Amino acid sequence: MMWRALLITLLALPLVAEAGKQCGNDQQLDPRVLMDNFLKQELVGQRPEQLISWENFKPAYKGSEYVYPINTPNLSADSMTVVKAWKLEKIEMRGNEAIARVEMFTLADVWRPKGTENDKFGRRVTEIGETFVEKYRMRKVDNCWYVIDPPKPVISFDTVLTSLESDLSEIKSLTWENITDEDRKAKSVLEKEVSLLIRLKNRYLGGV
């Protein structure tokens, strides 16, 4: 009987050890809190390490668009989804996995055609103007929830427009002695993107 008791004790050890692990970040204890904060960070184009943890195992293709490794998005170069508003509808729990359904009014899709990943001026802006539901995967590890391989960044219209206008203004302030061919190309691209975003603003946001 003693060996059986010992065996039961040994089998239980991994479970006790796992149960003893604690999440060191309060923001990751609840999947809803994690997703809410993750989206708020994306909307302003920032992802502070101390607030949210996420994982992106490898770059991925979604249709014809390239989803970049997850870092703080470069608003003048990376692919992204430009939104007017978003709402976290619900989270479907499946043990240590979860799916968050997020409703968002998408103004535009900023993307790169397949094969142009290394061309910093090669992205396209497509007007959308519709409401979609995006799904985000989450996983619980050591009592902490993580966002797993999310789609390309979702950024608010105001954040994107402010950033691009600032970049454009900086290039326009260059003197002819200092401006380079790359600056001229960037200026042309930024002017097109800013013009399109302002048109979307007038159409869907009432010009405010």
Side-chain angles (χ1 to χ4, degrees):
M1 295 296 292
M2 184 177 294
W3 69 266
R4 183 175 296 178
L6 178 61
L7 179 60
I8 293 174
T9 300
L10 291 174
L11 290 174
L13 283 177
L15 298 177
V16 172
E18 178 66 24
K21 293 182 179 179
Q22 297 298 320
C23 179
N25 189 341
D26 291 343
Q27 304 287 352
Q28 291 177 245
L29 291 172
D30 185 325
R32 177 170 285 273
V33 173
L34 171 69
M35 181 53 58
D36 188 66
N37 281 300
F38 179 82
L39 289 169
K40 286 177 180 176
Q41 287 178 181
E42 284 211 324
L43 286 172
V44 296
Q46 298 175 352
R47 296 178 179 176
E49 290 277 3
Q50 67 274 18
L51 179 59
I52 296 296
S53 292
W54 61 91
E55 295 181 12
N56 189 61
F57 301 112
K58 61 182 179 180
Y61 283 94
K62 182 181 180 183
S64 62
E65 64 199 32
Y66 188 75
V67 182
Y68 285 88
I70 302 304
N71 293 301
T72 301
N74 181 337
L75 301 187
S76 62
D78 290 347
S79 297
M80 59 188 165
T81 300
V82 184
V83 300
K84 170 185 176 182
W86 61 270
K87 180 177 69 174
L88 178 55
E89 283 191 333
K90 65 178 180 179
I91 294 182
E92 302 168 353
M93 305 291 294
R94 300 171 184 173
N96 289 331
E97 302 280 335
I99 299 291
R101 295 173 58 87
V102 181
E103 181 182 274
M104 54 186 69
F105 186 86
T106 303
L107 289 170
D109 184 31
V110 182
W111 56 286
R112 291 174 181 271
K114 191 172 181 179
T116 66
E117 295 85 10
N118 296 321
D119 180 3
K120 62 184 297 184
F121 305 112
R123 64 182 188 176
R124 307 286 186 270
V125 180
T126 303
E127 178 179 347
I128 303 297
E130 295 181 12
T131 298
F132 292 94
V133 174
E134 185 70 83
K135 294 181 180 179
Y136 290 79
R137 291 176 54 225
M138 289 180 286
R139 180 177 298 158
K140 188 178 182 181
V141 180
D142 295 340
N143 293 314
C144 268
W145 284 95
Y146 294 83
V147 179
I148 303 296
D149 198 16
K152 65 180 182 291
V154 175
I155 313 293
S156 73
F157 171 85
D158 289 336
T159 297
V160 176
L161 182 60
T162 298
S163 176
L164 297 187
E165 286 182 327
S166 175
D167 291 344
L168 182 58
S169 177
E170 184 174 341
I171 293 176
K172 286 183 175 180
S173 69
L174 296 174
T175 61
W176 68 270
E177 300 100 331
N178 296 325
I179 196 167
T180 65
D181 289 340
E182 185 171 277
D183 291 328
R184 293 187 180 90
K185 192 169 185 179
K187 177 175 177 289
S188 176
V189 171
L190 287 170
E191 284 177 336
K192 291 177 182 177
E193 293 186 346
V194 167
S195 176
L196 175 57
L197 288 174
I198 290 176
R199 180 164 61 81
L200 295 178
K201 178 179 181 180
N202 292 331
R203 175 173 296 181
Y204 297 106
L205 306 182
V208 297

